[in-house]
């Protein structure tokens, strides 16, 4: 059975919209076009990745297949009626209808009820239940469960109790839908929160934490079971969107996390509990990748602690990509960084050549990366987003 992987980074925005007649904003469409082949790096041999543009050069995929033995093919929109399974970045009603209108078989798509359920599970209130389940399963975690507020007075009460608290829209894309309560008497804050409550029914409130390190545990659900994929340690830009992350094997990243947290048993207990929680809460109703964003932070006494659920991302994430690449493509002792960059102007071929000249790619005898720069997507006319690893 041929599986077609699809990059649809507008997924979270489409979930927030909720319906089928959604129009992604220009920047989301640009990101989708520029990084459309990114899923090829997480695909299995024999799978396909959907082309979403007119200027795709199939020779780039062939070159990557030859170098790394990926065995991934490119699929076009015209071929959609002939495929039996689709694996997108995330399922939402907009994508389901788009594929249906392009001729996809009903049997190859999740049902409308299934997509409704994915949207329900993607509501940020699920973090409350996940926190409670962690507290029941793991000793040494702090009770910092978020709350859900249904009116502005409840939000203001929480923000007064926890200065500089975070308020979050129930559904929003990475880096969006988050407002820190720095000036709770200001009209901007109350208008924003009131607007979210009016449109989405509620708003999530979280205590501020003294962050030391942001990371995630990545998983895949298949056939009602959960499997740990790996770790991702990441940096966000000023808009709280993914910008870069550490890349290496799961063992390397595990050692890095333990060196900071100083408590290996706690990290392992959280990982085991996460698999159990997802098995019970998510896996019976969902197939695909997901990520649990976590945080190492300092409490009021300066002690290092672990927050096991900043939020659940019920979709493929950049952390999933970096985790799989770190385990699949890097030499066993290699590590580096995974980047997603935005350029205000079109990216030139010379820019890429210069970066690769400074960090030339070096492979082991069995085709693993031991150093250098490898771009993960080709250049098109007007490309402004770029994904690459630097080892």
């Amino acid at each position: 059975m041929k599986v077609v992987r699809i990059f649809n980074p507008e997924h979270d925005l489409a979930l927030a919209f909720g319906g089928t007649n959604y129009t992604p904003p220009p920047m989301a469409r640009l990101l989708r076009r520029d990084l459309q082949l990114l899923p090829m790096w997480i695909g299995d041999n024999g799978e396909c990745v959907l082309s979403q543009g007119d200027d795709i050069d199939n020779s780039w995929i062939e070159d990557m297949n030859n170098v790394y033995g990926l065995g991934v093919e490119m699929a076009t929109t015209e071929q959609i009626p002939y495929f039996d399974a689709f694996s997108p970045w995330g399922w939402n009603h907009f994508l389901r209808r788009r594929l249906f209108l392009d001729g996809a078989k009903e049997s190859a798509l999740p049902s409308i009820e299934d997509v409704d359920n994915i949207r329900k599970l993607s509501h940020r209130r699920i973090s409350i239940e996940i926190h409670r389940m962690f507290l029941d399963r793991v000793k040494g975690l702090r009770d910092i469960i978020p709350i859900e507020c249904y009116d502005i007075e409840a939000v203001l009460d929480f923000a007064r109790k926890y200065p500089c608290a975070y308020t979050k829209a129930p559904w929003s894309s990475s880096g969006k839908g988050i407002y820190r309560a720095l000036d709770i008497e200001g009209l901007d804050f109350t208008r924003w929160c009131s607007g979210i409550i009016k449109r989405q029914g509620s708003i999530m409130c979280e205590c501020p934490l003294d962050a030391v390190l942001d990371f995630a545990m990545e998983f895949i659900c298949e056939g009602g079971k959960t499997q740990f994929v790996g770790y991702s340690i990441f940096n966000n830009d000023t808009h709280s969107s993914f910008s870069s992350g550490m890349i290496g094997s799961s063992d390397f990243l595990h050692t890095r996390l333990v060196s900071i947290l100083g408590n290996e048993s706690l990290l392992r207990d959280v990982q085991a509990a996460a698999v159990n929680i997802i098995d019970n809460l998510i896996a019976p109703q969902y197939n695909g990748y997901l990520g649990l964003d976590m945080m190492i932070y300092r409490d009021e006494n300066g002690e290092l602690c672990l927050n096991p659920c900043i939020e659940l991302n019920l979709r493929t994430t950049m952390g999933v990509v970096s985790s799989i690449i770190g385990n699949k493509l890097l030499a066993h002792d290699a590590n580096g960084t995974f980047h997603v960059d935005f350029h205000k102007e079109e990216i030139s071929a010379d820019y890429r050549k210069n970066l690769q000249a400074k960090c030339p790619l070096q492979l082991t005898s069995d085709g693993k990366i031991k150093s250098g720069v490898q771009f993960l997507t080709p250049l098109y006319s007007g490309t402004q987003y770029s994904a690459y690893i630097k080892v």
Side-chain angles (χ1 to χ4, degrees), residues 2-5 37 40 44-51 58 61 65 70-76 79 83:
K2 285 276 189 179
V3 175
V4 182
R5 295 192 178 272
L37 298 186
M40 67 183 284
D44 293 326
N45 196 301
E47 292 185 345
C48 300
V49 59
L50 184 66
S51 162
N58 199 43
I61 292 182
N65 281 333
L70 302 176
V72 177
E73 303 172 17
M74 187 175 71
T76 64
Q79 294 173 288
F83 289 104

Side-chain angles (χ1 to χ4, degrees), residues 24-66:
M27 294 306 290
R29 296 198 300 270
L30 179 65
L31 178 62
R32 182 210 298 163
R33 197 288 302 259
D34 288 354
L35 303 188
Q36 61 190 283
L37 298 186
L38 191 61
M40 67 183 284
W41 299 98
I42 63 173
D44 293 326
N45 196 301
E47 292 185 345
C48 300
V49 59
L50 184 66
S51 162
Q52 303 184 66
D54 299 325
D55 54 352
I56 295 292
D57 182 1
N58 199 43
S59 63
W60 191 84
I61 292 182
E62 293 175 358
D63 288 344
M64 296 301 100
N65 281 333
N66 291 334

Side-chain angles (χ1 to χ4, degrees), residues 250-264:
S250 291
D251 287 343
F252 171 81
L253 297 180
H254 177 86
T255 300
R256 173 67 174 164
L257 289 168
V258 170
S259 71
I260 296 171
L261 180 61
N263 189 337
E264 183 171 17

